[in-house]
């Protein structure tokens, strides 16, 4: 089996592999040895391998940086591609240029756009969870966002039964 499949079958709870950006921008943003289709395949194979080996299904997660010149339609296409490959959780964060040698920021995405994307991801595309905001990073504080989401869901359930 491939390394991703071996890792996914070892009993982990979440397998994460980031798309980083939309398909059109992949050659400019990522190392050419990594590609959009390759990332989707890794996520799909990891989920399948874990389903065969693990007692409980794993969650698969991916992240995209925004502000590199992507369009809303391209983001929606990426969400659709992720769901078509069994991805459960997606995060969106603002790309911030780490050094002068890196790509420039094309756009600082407005906070309300991040909110809209979070709602679309869950309601329209069926992600189990989406963390979306200017300061969201693929793993930084992701656990806190997830716990906050779970607590909010529990409060909603509790209110519904009152």
């Amino acid at each position: 089996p491939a390394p991703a499949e071996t890792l996914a079958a070892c009993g982990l709870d979440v397998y994460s592999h980031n798309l980083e950006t939309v398909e059109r921008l992949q050659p400019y943003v990522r190392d050419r040895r990594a590609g959009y289709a390759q990332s989707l395949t890794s996520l799909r194979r990891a989920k399948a391998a874990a389903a065969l080996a693990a007692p409980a299904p794993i969650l698969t997660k991916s992240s995209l940086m925004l502000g590199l010149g992507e369009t809303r339609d391209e983001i929606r296409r990426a969400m659709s591609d992720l769901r078509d490959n069994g991805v459960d959780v997606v995060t969106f964060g603002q790309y911030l240029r780490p050094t002068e040698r890196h790509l420039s920021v094309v756009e600082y995405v407005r906070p309300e756009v991040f909110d809209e994307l979070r709602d679309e991801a869950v309601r329209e595309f069926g992600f189990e969870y989406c963390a979306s905001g200017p300061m969201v990073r693929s793993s930084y504080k992701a656990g806190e966002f997830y716990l906050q989401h779970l607590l909010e869901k529990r409060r909603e359930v509790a209110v519904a039964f009152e």
Side-chain angles (χ1 to χ4, degrees):
E5 293 161 329
T6 301
L7 179 64
C10 77
L12 51 82
D13 295 315
V14 179
Y15 177 85
S16 181
H17 183 87
N18 296 336
L19 277 183
E20 303 294 358
T21 190
V22 298
E23 188 172 18
R24 175 179 58 87
L25 297 174
Q26 291 280 318
Y28 309 104
V29 174
R30 296 178 80 184
D31 184 305
R32 294 197 186 276
R33 293 172 291 180
Y36 190 83
Q38 178 186 21
S39 292
L40 292 172
T41 298
S42 175
L43 288 155
R44 184 180 65 251
R45 286 183 176 169
K47 184 162 233 47
L52 293 173
I58 64 167
L59 291 174
T60 49
K61 176 188 152 301
S62 193
S63 301
L64 281 91
M65 301 178 292
L66 305 182
L68 290 161
E70 65 284 330
T71 67
R72 188 69 167 257
D73 284 343
E74 288 174 320
I75 298 167
R76 291 178 58 80
R77 172 65 192 267
M79 284 194 272
S80 178
D81 291 343
L82 288 167
R83 288 299 294 140
D84 287 349
N85 284 276
V87 176
D88 307 296
V89 177
V90 66
T91 66
F92 299 108
Q94 173 67 52
Y95 169 71
L96 299 172
R97 185 179 192 186
T99 70
E100 291 292 320
R101 294 186 330 232
H102 289 82
L103 293 171
S104 296
V105 174
V106 173
E107 173 191 16
Y108 288 99
V109 179
R110 296 184 328 276
E112 56 269 20
V113 171
F114 281 106
D115 293 343
E116 292 166 5
L117 288 169
R118 180 183 59 244
D119 292 343
E120 283 179 34
V122 174
R123 291 190 184 133
E124 293 181 39
F125 290 93
F127 285 96
E128 290 189 39
Y129 177 71
C130 174
S132 181
M135 300 307 291
V136 170
R137 296 295 170 259
S138 64
S139 59
Y140 175 72
K141 294 203 176 215
E144 288 180 34
F145 281 111
Y146 185 68
L147 290 174
Q148 178 183 351
H149 171 73
L150 289 178
L151 290 172
E152 288 171 4
K153 281 182 98 170
R154 286 183 181 176
R155 287 185 195 118
E156 289 172 11
V157 169
V159 168
F161 285 105
E162 287 181 356

